[in-house]
Amino acid sequence: MSLLVTGSIGIDSVSTPSGTVDGVLGGSAVYFAFAAVQYVPVRLVGVVGEDFPPAFRDVLESRDIDLTGLEVRSASRTFRWTGRYEGDMNEAETVEVNLNVLAEQAPKVPASFADSKTVFLANTHPTLQRELLAQVSSPSLVVCDTMNLWIETERDSLIETLRAVHGVIINDAESRQLTGAVNLIEAGEKMLGWGPTFVIIKKGEHGALLVTAEGAVAIPAYPTKKVCDPTGAGDSFAGGVLGFLAAEGKHNAQTLRRALVRGTVAASFTIEDFSLNRVRDLSRAEVTERVDQFLGVLRFD
Amino acid sequence: MSLLVTGSIGIDSVSTPSGTVDGVLGGSAVYFAFAAVQYVPVRLVGVVGEDFPPAFRDVLESRDIDLTGLEVRSASRTFRWTGRYEGDMNEAETVEVNLNVLAEQAPKVPASFADSKTVFLANTHPTLQRELLAQVSSPSLVVCDTMNLWIETERDSLIETLRAVHGVIINDAESRQLTGAVNLIEAGEKMLGWGPTFVIIKKGEHGALLVTAEGAVAIPAYPTKKVCDPTGAGDSFAGGVLGFLAAEGKHNAQTLRRALVRGTVAASFTIEDFSLNRVRDLSRAEVTERVDQFLGVLRFD
């Protein structure tokens, strides 16, 4: 049941048609953790600077998230991202980004995390992803994400990372960029050819596509009118998927389909408010109710 | 079971990454008819010119499509459309369009069609849509489509048409343009406010959204790598939906969900080849097989 996530922990400033927030908790590993923790305890590996607010640490500690792997560097500053969404909010416009501590040496996986069975490597340099993975002794499920920067600058290293994982969770634009395929099923199949046994392509408000050797499965997004801030939706989706797979202890095609529902529901909560506001205190009962309701929406026979 | 469709019958020239065809059979009513005829006999109301090839008439007559309402004007020319698709093929670029006979007087609904129970008003001038509908004595299900041109130039008349129908099948860009809502569920609800009891918003490769008083239901597109030519996909979708509803004789929420599957499958066949090439001789067994297979893809519990 042990689920390790390594990725960014950040301080965000976000502007959407619903409003603006400044200096709020964010980062891929954080969004992932709050979704996954609905299903299993989460082990967080990441690094922040001396400016990381104690209140943010309190938020993380309020759930079953083990912070043994959270390194605080006193001479550094935390990763900062300022973004803006407009119109249909399908794409974030990055206004400003300061890597800060993320540009320094990567954090270490603590010895007490080395026995983790499920590992999610959120987006970072693909070589770092492999170095982090090498510190886990015998994981049974490893999944990674990536981003356009590494596809452009570190393609060979990224493909080497793909050879080392069981699954990939990636967005549509990146999967096209990485494979050169316009059709997303073809893109997924090309990625399967590099090693993973499953590829999940995230399509934002249009849902997600699962590609395995058994074929392609498409799931729509949860139909909602309440979109306040899409930040973290993709990481929450991955957290819901991986948390569920970790709890189930398997990742066959049927379990993956069920996991897609959990990922979709996790993302649907995250986007209802800024930062972690909606999911910070989210109860398992609320999650279960929406999962059941979404399964009802998905009945077509 | 009687289903009447009125819309365009055209001669198309289309270029896609898969190739180019010149002077092939097309038009909204034609694509609709070939999808709907899988479920019920179809009555076609439309107008062509003296240049309409006898071979195209033969294609229409090869299925259970009643051409009593097909008017041939000897002094006129058939509607012609030349279009091009590139990249992800999500949008057609119109290279050339000649309304020809479509710019003249509308065709009449033959007396033998006046008892039609289900009516689909494909895209045309909204006043014409109402005039055509007025020639049907007591329809139990009326559904319309529209396009950006009428939203821009005939908005009031279009809303009057919406007041006269049970359902709307419209694409995402048009539903946003018509309602001013960015969120598609909100767009659907605004349209419900004008009178229809259901709104189906087509999202191309991203599937469709059904909005009723009971809420929103999203269905993904059929996952396929074989996209040769998207022309007619939306009309085929509408034909599959309406054909199924006509055969079932009801359009409650549950039947509408089942109809979405049939519409999606109809579109999935159309896009596999140019023009009507794939659906012209499509068997009911092929349709049933794909419906069953798609229902299997849509299982998430």
Side-chain angles (χ1 to χ4, degrees), chain A residues 74-131:
Chain A
S74 54
S76 307
R77 284 175 64 76
T78 304
F79 168 62
R80 303 240 173 190
W81 179 74
T82 301
R84 182 164 53 199
Y85 296 86
E86 285 173 356
D88 65 5
M89 298 193 278
N90 252 342
E91 208 167 350
E93 181 198 341
T94 292
V95 176
E96 195 180 354
V97 62
N98 294 298
L99 286 178
N100 295 331
V101 71
L102 289 194
E104 305 172 8
Q105 208 185 345
K108 292 269 176 260
V109 174
S112 62
F113 286 5
D115 63 351
S116 299
K117 284 299 162 201
T118 304
V119 177
F120 184 68
L121 306 164
N123 163 46
T124 187
H125 191 297
T127 305
L128 275 189
Q129 288 179 315
R130 290 198 304 285
E131 284 173 14

Side-chain angles (χ1 to χ4, degrees), chain B residues 8 15 46 56 61 66 75 78 80 87 90 112 115 124 130 164 169 194 199 212 216 238 246 255 269 275 278 291 298:
Chain B
S8 64
S15 178
F56 288 3
E61 283 179 337
D66 188 334
T78 304
R80 304 244 172 186
N90 252 342
S112 62
D115 63 351
T124 187
R130 290 197 305 286
I169 299 182
W194 288 319
V199 173
T212 68
T255 313
F269 280 113
S275 183
R278 180 67 180 94
V291 164
L298 293 172

Side-chain angles (χ1 to χ4, degrees), chain B residues 2-281:
Chain B
S2 47
L3 170 56
L4 183 154
V5 55
T6 163
S8 64
I9 300 161
I11 301 177
D12 291 349
S13 295
V14 182
S15 178
T16 83
S18 296
T20 298
V21 289
D22 199 37
V24 298
L25 178 58
S28 60
V30 173
Y31 279 107
F32 179 97
F34 275 85
V37 80
Q38 292 289 345
Y39 300 97
V40 289
V42 175
R43 295 166 166 183
L44 184 69
V45 173
V47 56
V48 296
E50 48 78 31
D51 57 338
F52 191 69
F56 288 3
R57 197 185 176 99
D58 292 345
V59 171
L60 289 162
E61 283 179 337
S62 72
R63 304 304 289 247
D64 198 354
I65 302 172
D66 188 334
L67 301 185
T68 307
L70 177 61
E71 194 182 327
V72 184
R73 296 210 184 126
S74 57
S76 306
R77 285 175 64 76
T78 304
F79 168 63
R80 304 244 172 186
W81 179 75
T82 301
R84 182 166 51 201
Y85 297 85
E86 283 171 359
D88 65 7
M89 298 193 278
N90 252 342
E91 209 166 350
E93 180 198 342
T94 293
V95 177
E96 196 180 353
V97 63
N98 294 296
L99 286 178
N100 295 330
V101 72
L102 289 193
E104 304 172 11
Q105 209 185 345
K108 292 269 176 259
V109 175
S112 62
F113 286 5
D115 63 351
S116 299
K117 286 300 161 200
T118 303
V119 177
F120 184 69
L121 305 164
N123 162 47
T124 187
H125 191 297
T127 305
L128 274 188
Q129 288 178 317
R130 290 197 305 286
E131 285 174 12
L132 285 156
L133 180 57
Q135 300 168 55
V136 181
S137 53
S138 59
S140 54
L141 173 59
V142 181
V143 178
C144 74
D145 192 358
T146 191
M147 71 179 290
N148 51 1
L149 175 64
W150 313 122
I151 296 172
E152 285 156 24
T153 63
E154 297 287 341
R155 195 167 184 280
D156 291 346
S157 178
L158 175 57
I159 289 173
E160 211 177 316
T161 293
L162 294 189
R163 293 192 201 283
V165 302
H166 303 89
V168 182
I169 299 182
I170 187 172
N171 80 29
D172 45 2
E174 289 156 2
S175 63
R176 286 183 168 127
Q177 187 187 6
L178 175 59
T179 63
V182 172
N183 182 284
L184 293 179
I185 300 177
E186 279 179 12
E189 288 177 351
K190 282 201 176 187
M191 284 183 268
L192 291 183
W194 288 319
T197 59
F198 68 87
V199 173
I200 299 175
I201 299 174
K202 299 175 286 185
K203 305 194 295 173
E205 66 158 324
H206 301 302
L209 186 74
L210 164 68
V211 185
T212 68
E214 294 171 55
V217 172
I219 189 167
Y222 178 79
T224 185
K225 284 189 288 180
K226 200 175 173 187
V227 184
C228 171
D229 174 11
T231 306
D235 301 307
S236 298
F237 174 87
V241 168
L242 267 283
F244 182 78
L245 293 177
E248 293 289 311
K250 56 191 175 189
H251 53 276
N252 56 34
Q254 164 72 358
T255 313
L256 281 165
R257 285 168 184 246
R258 298 176 64 211
L260 292 177
V261 173
R262 278 68 186 183
T264 302
V265 164
S268 79
F269 280 113
T270 294
I271 65 178
E272 287 183 4
D273 204 339
F274 287 102
S275 183
L276 283 303
N277 294 350
R278 180 67 180 94
V279 297
R280 197 171 46 195
D281 304 315

Side-chain angles (χ1 to χ4, degrees), chain A residues 50-67:
Chain A
E50 49 77 32
D51 58 338
F52 190 68
F56 287 4
R57 195 184 179 100
D58 293 345
V59 171
L60 289 162
E61 283 179 337
S62 71
R63 304 304 289 246
D64 198 356
I65 301 173
D66 187 334
L67 301 185

